[in-house]
Amino acid sequence: MPANKPAQWDYEADVVVMGTGGAALVSAILAHDQGAKVIVLEKTHQIGGTTAFSGGVPWIPMNRYMKEAGIEDSRDKALTYIKRLTNGKEPNPELIEVYVDNGHKMIDYLHENTPLRFSIPKSYPEYYGYFPGTSKDGGRSLDPRPFDMNQIGEWGNLVRQNPTFPPLTLEEGGAIGAIDFTVIAERMENNIVTMGRSLVASLMKAILDRGIEVVVETAGKELVLNDAGDVIGLIAEKADGAKVSYGARKGVIIASGGFEWNKELIKTFLKGEITHPLTPFGNEGDGLIMAMEAGAALGNMSEAWWYPAMQDPTFEYEDRVMNQLGGGGRTGPNSIVVNKHGKRFVHEGTTYNDMPKAFYEYDPVNVEFPNEPPVWMIFDQQLKDKTMIITMMPGEDTPEWVNQANSIRELAEQIGVDPDGLEDQVSRWNEGAAKGVDPDFGRATTFFENLTGGGGSATANIGPINTAPFYALPIFFGSLGTSGGPKIDENGQVISLRGKAINGLYAAGNAAMGIMGQTYASAGGTLGPAMTFGYLAGIAAGKAESKDI
Amino acid sequence: MPNGSHTIELPVSIENIWSFVSDMDKWAPLVPGYIEHQILSERQSTWSFKGDLGFMKKTVKLQIDIKEWIEPTKVTFDLKGLSDNFVGNGYFEAEAIDDSNTKMTGYLDITAKGAMGPMINTILKNFVPQTAKELSEAIANKIVEINKA
């Protein structure tokens, strides 16, 4: 149940924002710029949330940088592309249009009113480059420009480190290989940040310039409602367990991330059980629980931004083995992914959001989930010699955490996979590879598997696994965040179970219903909608009528 | 070439310091992030420890080869990564100030190699001096504690 109104608020503001990721900071800036007094609460001891962990790339059709670069785009084209991907499964088609119509306005606003600047990453096209409505020349995915963290002084030390991406831009290879480690070293020396940290630090500069108060180690836990059911504040919990009340005359914006670190919520809502999130540990669904208590309707609850996570077990982040992206090996030519039976079960080169959807397939004949992770990436020396895999560099010694053997059978026995199954599978793969085809799953036919090389091809994506030693690495059920939450309207305002907007309650980002359904449009498919609805929620909350609290 | 040294004066004789430092088993658990070590011979040992790089921790295995035992004043050694691509060296030096006071210095130098070397060395620039300081201080405190008892 929501909390009772305290006799006296510890703190009062017009708008209280939960979270410090992209959606949260944009909403705080916009609410402030409507004239509202804003307080931002961050649960953890670091700011930036999931955004700081990420590439920091928003996917925004028709944005100003495309116009500057002479890249044509249109509302119809963008909607054609999105609707081809959503297959009509989006929770509310109108919100897709709201997103397309307002995303570029959000980018314009931030360009004109904050230090946040983007570039269009060259040679980084859209993930579904063969589909109608795609932007052939890219441009919808925006790459944050490097930002000098010294501009935000001590707050720079609080911006969450990004253990996933090095301080390179997307174009420089931060997410796609070809990394220049000397540039990384220079950036680290000079406190120059890129990707998610650049986005957060740039927005944080705007927050500080406006004098918006940001309070860390303060987690929103319970909403406070008045007799009419309007949200008028929240009760937060400090790191030491102390309760603090925040009155909010105009509204509360929940932008505190998803629930991928809450095992109970995962089990309750998701199709597949995420075991290895690639996000900060604070994402435990606090905002979701608060919204449910306030009577919010929920949407898109069974979805997440899936990811086939991998691990170099020698790296730990906040005292847990760090979940990592894994590098480009999965789509490489001399590599396949198999289940416990030693069988392939998916086109390995599909996008990181699509490929794990095969993890939760059910076999009704054998009454099992055959692809439940860990599944195994099987590859040979040829791939190891030319591709960075997790942290393993080409040409360097094989670390002891990598399973290796001189025969496929021995490798299968080592990792507990059916040896006959794996031997048969590798033979079949190699037969196809000799002809440059994959008759089972169509490798070399999708665009994403050779994204920066013009789309899949036999040369880039099909090759035999026949050169010992052979290697195996586990792939786990990972996620870049969940994408279900309270239903929202075109203003980011939360809808009640009775279908009415809840006065004073807004949600954005992974804390809200994902408007795209199961679709991840391209790089920035998470942050684009998140920042856009943060922008809309900030405007709406900032302009809302003040309530007597 | 990330490196660091740390010097401490102790109210302990050089012989007592040598007696402690020359027995690896006595001070091994004082290594920051220590997990385990194995003495292979009088001059060779392998070590596992978890290095705190600030925003993440990294478990590393390395081999130490003693180059010189100069009783009671100096031990020099080389090190190389077994789990990762790095090399280095270091020494421990004791200098008697008088019969019951000694100046003790620990020095460590580690350089990451390979393609990732430039990036890792940037992290090691802070990590190595900090480790040299923490280890020297931990050893000094233990020696003082033992010699008080």
Side-chain angles (χ1 to χ4, degrees):
Chain A
M1 290 294 290
N4 293 324
K5 183 185 167 187
Q8 190 169 357
W9 298 102
D10 293 314
Y11 301 94
E12 289 186 23
D14 294 316
V15 176
V16 176
V17 176
M18 277 175 60
T20 53
L25 296 181
V26 170
S27 72
I29 290 165
L30 268 295
H32 169 276
D33 290 1
Q34 313 312 308
K37 181 191 174 191
V38 179
I39 295 179
V40 179
L41 305 180
E42 166 56 47
K43 177 181 184 176
T44 70
H45 65 292
Q46 293 176 302
I47 57 173
T50 309
T51 303
F53 254 50
S54 78
V57 173
W59 187 81
I60 304 290
M62 301 184 291
N63 67 67
R64 64 185 298 128
Y65 298 95
M66 296 177 85
K67 286 178 194 145
E68 284 170 13
I71 300 171
E72 274 187 37
D73 200 6
S74 71
R75 185 177 193 272
D76 282 350
K77 200 171 151 184
L79 289 173
T80 299
Y81 180 74
I82 294 172
K83 286 181 176 176
R84 170 63 188 85
L85 299 179
T86 59
N87 290 293
K89 303 287 186 191
E90 64 273 29
N92 179 352
E94 285 177 17
L95 295 186
I96 301 275
E97 297 191 22
V98 171
Y99 164 43
V100 170
D101 290 339
N102 287 281
H104 58 93
K105 292 179 190 166
M106 177 269 296
I107 294 295
D108 283 345
Y109 189 88
L110 296 177
H111 187 90
E112 287 156 12
N113 296 282
T114 78
L116 180 59
R117 296 289 179 274
F118 294 98
S119 297
I120 290 176
K122 292 191 186 81
S123 308
Y124 203 87
E126 290 187 309
Y127 289 177
Y128 302 90
Y130 294 148
F131 281 22
T134 191
S135 176
K136 296 271 182 215
D137 298 315
R140 291 174 182 157
S141 297
L142 294 173
D143 197 359
R145 289 184 192 165
F147 184 82
D148 181 354
M149 192 86 101
N150 298 308
Q151 289 186 52
I152 58 171
E154 290 297 310
W155 282 95
N157 298 327
L158 290 184
V159 174
R160 186 174 284 283
Q161 291 281 354
N162 188 332
T164 309
F165 297 113
L168 296 174
T169 62
L170 190 63
E171 180 174 327
E172 290 166 340
I176 52 173
I179 289 172
D180 185 336
F181 288 98
T182 309
V183 173
I184 294 173
E186 283 171 13
R187 295 245 169 96
M188 288 166 75
E189 292 266 6
N190 296 310
N191 212 13
I192 306 295
V193 295
T194 62
M195 300 192 126
R197 299 189 82 206
S198 170
L199 186 86
V200 168
S202 303
L203 293 174
M204 197 60 202
K205 175 79 167 72
I207 292 275
L208 297 173
D209 288 347
R210 285 164 171 78
I212 297 172
E213 188 181 355
V214 178
V215 188
V216 298
E217 295 189 293
T218 305
K221 288 292 180 187
E222 296 168 280
L223 289 167
V224 178
L225 275 58
N226 63 15
D227 292 341
D230 305 334
V231 173
I232 56 169
L234 60 79
I235 306 296
E237 194 174 284
K238 309 289 282 184
D240 63 4
K243 297 280 172 69
V244 190
S245 61
Y246 287 87
R249 288 179 287 268
K250 289 170 179 276
V252 170
I253 300 174
I254 296 173
S256 48
F259 57 86
E260 63 275 8
W261 284 98
N262 185 323
K263 286 187 191 310
E264 190 62 35
L265 291 176
I266 286 172
K267 220 172 177 61
T268 303
F269 290 114
L270 293 185
K271 292 172 185 168
E273 193 169 343
I274 295 168
T275 54
H276 291 68
L278 294 104
T279 61
F281 308 137
N283 295 345
E284 295 171 307
D286 297 344
L288 171 63
I289 292 167
M290 292 163 73
M292 286 195 287
E293 285 178 335
L298 305 179
N300 211 44
M301 289 305 294
S302 57
E303 284 299 334
W305 312 109
W306 311 109
Y307 205 97
M310 300 181 83
Q311 289 185 334
D312 168 348
T314 66
F315 279 99
E316 287 182 18
Y317 183 84
E318 295 186 348
D319 298 324
R320 301 181 207 211
V321 174
M322 202 172 92
N323 301 319
Q324 300 185 46
L325 301 182
R330 176 169 57 87
T331 63
N334 316 98
S335 140
I336 56 174
V337 175
V338 301
N339 63 17
K340 62 186 175 187
H341 301 303
K343 297 298 180 192
R344 294 177 67 210
F345 57 93
V346 68
H347 180 313
E348 295 88 345
T350 46
T351 73
Y352 45 80
N353 183 54
D354 288 338
M355 186 264 193
K357 290 171 185 168
F359 291 167
Y360 49 73
E361 271 177 17
Y362 179 67
D363 176 350
V365 175
N366 293 303
V367 192
E368 64 165 5
F369 294 90
N371 311 328
E372 196 160 44
V375 294
W376 295 89
M377 178 175 145
I378 307 293
F379 57 103
D380 74 355
Q381 186 63 34
Q382 297 175 87
L383 187 77
K384 185 183 174 302
D385 283 342
K386 60 193 170 202
T387 304
M388 180 180 171
I389 300 165
I390 316 181
T391 55
M392 184 167 59
M393 298 298 290
E396 297 199 346
D397 292 345
T398 306
E400 63 182 30
W401 48 268
V402 179
N403 302 284
Q404 61 172 312
N406 285 321
S407 73
I408 292 294
R409 187 164 201 87
E410 195 188 331
L411 187 68
E413 285 165 352
Q414 199 178 108
I415 61 176
V417 160
D418 178 12
D420 293 334
L422 186 60
E423 276 189 333
D424 289 349
Q425 180 61 78
V426 170
S427 296
R428 180 164 175 78
W429 167 258
N430 287 347
E431 280 170 27
K435 299 172 196 158
V437 295
D438 170 20
D440 298 327
F441 292 97
R443 282 275 285 270
T445 62
T446 67
F447 192 80
F448 180 77
E449 62 193 298
N450 187 24
L451 183 68
T452 55
S457 71
T459 312
N461 304 105
I462 297 181
I465 300 171
N466 60 6
T467 305
F470 302 102
Y471 302 95
L473 284 168
I475 293 178
F476 304 101
F477 210 149
S479 171
L480 306 177
T482 51
S483 61
K487 274 190 182 172
I488 51 172
D489 68 10
E490 69 279 7
N491 294 313
Q493 192 163 354
V494 174
I495 308 292
S496 77
L497 286 163
R498 299 292 181 187
K500 291 183 178 173
I502 298 177
N503 197 9
L505 186 60
Y506 303 82
N510 289 351
M513 171 186 82
I515 63 149
M516 300 285 275
Q518 63 165 352
T519 297
Y520 189 100
S522 195
T526 59
L527 257 180
M531 291 171 67
T532 302
F533 279 88
Y535 165 82
L536 293 168
I539 292 172
K543 283 184 173 170
E545 201 172 308
S546 282
K547 292 181 283 294
D548 181 8
I549 60 170
Chain B
M1 300 282 280
N3 61 66
S5 69
H6 191 65
T7 301
I8 306 170
E9 285 186 16
L10 298 179
V12 178
S13 71
I14 194 167
E15 288 76 18
N16 284 344
I17 286 180
W18 184 257
S19 144
F20 183 81
V21 170
S22 59
D23 184 350
M24 208 173 262
D25 289 338
K26 284 184 180 165
W27 56 264
L30 302 176
V31 175
Y34 171 81
I35 297 172
E36 61 177 3
H37 78 289
Q38 191 176 4
I39 295 173
L40 304 177
S41 70
E42 193 182 317
R43 289 192 172 251
Q44 197 170 64
S45 58
T46 58
W47 294 71
S48 294
F49 68 94
K50 197 181 286 183
D52 188 347
L53 306 177
F55 66 102
M56 61 171 74
K57 289 178 181 162
K58 171 87 172 86
T59 300
V60 171
K61 288 188 179 177
L62 55 85
Q63 178 175 307
I64 289 186
D65 289 289
I66 302 287
K67 288 198 303 189
E68 291 178 301
W69 283 111
I70 307 171
E71 187 175 352
T73 58
K74 196 167 186 179
V75 189
T76 62
F77 60 86
D78 286 335
L79 63 85
K80 69 173 179 186
L82 298 176
S83 59
D84 298 86
N85 191 1
F86 61 86
V87 295
N89 60 74
Y91 62 76
F92 161 81
E93 193 166 35
E95 184 186 340
I97 298 170
D98 55 37
D99 286 350
S100 55
N101 289 286
T102 308
K103 189 164 83 172
M104 192 182 94
T105 300
Y107 173 81
L108 189 60
D109 182 318
I110 304 176
T111 302
K113 302 288 186 183
M116 286 192 191
M119 177 183 77
I120 295 169
N121 286 329
T122 304
I123 297 169
L124 292 180
K125 270 183 194 168
N126 291 326
F127 173 76
V128 173
Q130 186 64 25
T131 300
K133 182 170 184 278
E134 285 178 16
L135 179 58
S136 301
E137 285 178 348
I139 289 174
N141 291 340
K142 192 72 181 173
I143 291 171
V144 170
E145 183 188 315
I146 289 169
N147 283 277
K148 263 186 189 169

